[in-house]
Amino acid sequence: MTTGKARERDGDQGGIAPRRAALGLLNAVLGEGQMLAEALTDPVGPLARLEPAARARAQRLALSALRQVEPADAVTALFLRKAPPLQVRNILRLAVTELWAGAPAHAVVNAAVRLAEGDRKTVPAKGMINAVLRRLAEAEAIPRPVQKLPRWLRQPLVHAWGREAVAAMEAVQARTPPVDLTLRPGALAPEGERLPTGSLRLAEPGQVSALPGYAEGGWWVQDAAAALAAPLLAVRPGEDVLDLCAAPGGKTLQLAAAG
């Protein structure tokens, strides 16, 4: 439970609040076994009281940390005698992820300590968190191992494609994926890379709801691969279409935009 003192300090939604929400998402997924999609949309969940920009930042932090759980644990283990409780590990995972992303070290360390102070279960570990992260921040280069695929998936892929190819797959998995947009014909759109398939790819989109064309409904977020299905069907007006993978509705919007 978050203390009253910690809640008071959440007035800065650009600072500690998104980090605390990201920590809540990690605790829900890794500690309670909750699906990330459920945690993101929970009306009383970690993101519930955040402004849109802070929600977006919290979600990006949590997703990035979840992609790098194993490497973050390996790095912090260099300075630990034993594995700390899960909530403490999640604070360290978030902080290491931010350090890898190039966030200012002093801000990351201070935020991690404040996160520890916000819960009575993690308060005793704040000194350890501070010491571990300061040692990491003072290092000339923080090692960044690549997270391996789970054994049940990795082994058949190695047999099929070889270790070098699988290592390349794992390296791609470790990257933050781009955001792809499907555009409504003639609508306002942000700047980005136009893919041969027609999708618009944004390498660093920032807050999606603040991009040109969002308020007007000029585009929607849709993976470039998912956007291939509707055009390939070549559906004609009046035909019925059964979509067996219909959420959140990108293909339906494509069909509607095509008439």
Side-chain angles (χ1 to χ4, degrees):
M1 179 178 294
T2 304
T3 65
K5 183 178 179 182
R7 282 196 297 266
E8 289 173 5
R9 293 184 297 192
D10 278 359
D12 174 17
Q13 293 233 314
I16 194 66
R19 290 177 167 109
R20 182 169 290 120
L23 177 61
L25 291 173
L26 292 190
N27 291 339
V29 172
L30 301 176
E32 302 169 17
Q34 192 173 1
M35 295 291 291
L36 179 60
E38 295 174 358
L40 291 174
T41 56
D42 187 343
V44 294
L47 303 184
R49 297 185 179 182
L50 294 183
E51 299 296 331
R55 289 173 62 94
R57 185 181 178 194
Q59 183 171 331
R60 288 196 302 270
L61 283 173
L63 287 170
S64 184
L66 287 170
R67 289 191 191 96
Q68 302 177 86
V69 167
E70 184 181 301
D73 286 351
V75 168
T76 54
L78 299 173
F79 306 98
L80 297 170
R81 293 183 180 178
K82 62 179 182 179
L86 178 63
Q87 291 188 31
V88 175
R89 272 182 288 158
N90 285 339
I91 292 175
L92 291 171
R93 288 162 175 166
L94 278 176
V96 171
T97 300
E98 285 201 86
L99 290 174
W100 278 331
H106 68 279
V108 172
V109 175
N110 290 342
V113 172
R114 287 182 62 185
L115 287 177
E117 292 174 342
D119 192 309
R120 57 183 176 79
K121 295 179 181 179
T122 55
V123 167
K126 69 176 185 178
M128 178 272 288
I129 291 171
N130 181 66
V132 168
L133 294 178
R134 285 191 181 278
R135 291 186 66 181
L136 274 174
E138 291 167 0
E140 291 186 5
I142 304 175
R144 189 174 183 176
V146 172
Q147 181 157 305
K148 295 184 181 299
L149 293 169
R151 184 181 179 85
W152 62 267
L153 178 59
R154 195 175 200 277
Q155 279 194 324
L157 288 175
V158 168
H159 290 317
W161 301 99
R163 294 185 182 279
E164 187 174 338
V166 173
M169 296 176 196
E170 291 168 336
V172 171
Q173 285 285 98
R175 302 175 193 162
T176 301
V179 171
D180 297 331
L181 308 181
T182 298
L183 309 179
R184 187 160 52 82
L188 180 66
E191 294 184 6
E193 176 190 0
R194 194 66 175 261
L195 302 182
T197 55
S199 294
L200 185 70
R201 174 157 293 176
L202 311 179
E204 297 181 5
Q207 183 183 343
V208 171
S209 59
L211 295 174
Y214 175 85
E216 297 80 14
W219 45 264
W220 52 92
V221 176
Q222 184 180 23
D223 185 83
L228 294 174
L232 287 175
L233 281 176
V235 180
R236 290 173 295 182
E239 291 184 321
D240 294 330
V241 179
L242 174 62
D243 188 350
L244 298 180
C245 189
K251 293 183 289 295
T252 298
L253 287 173
Q254 283 180 283
L255 294 174

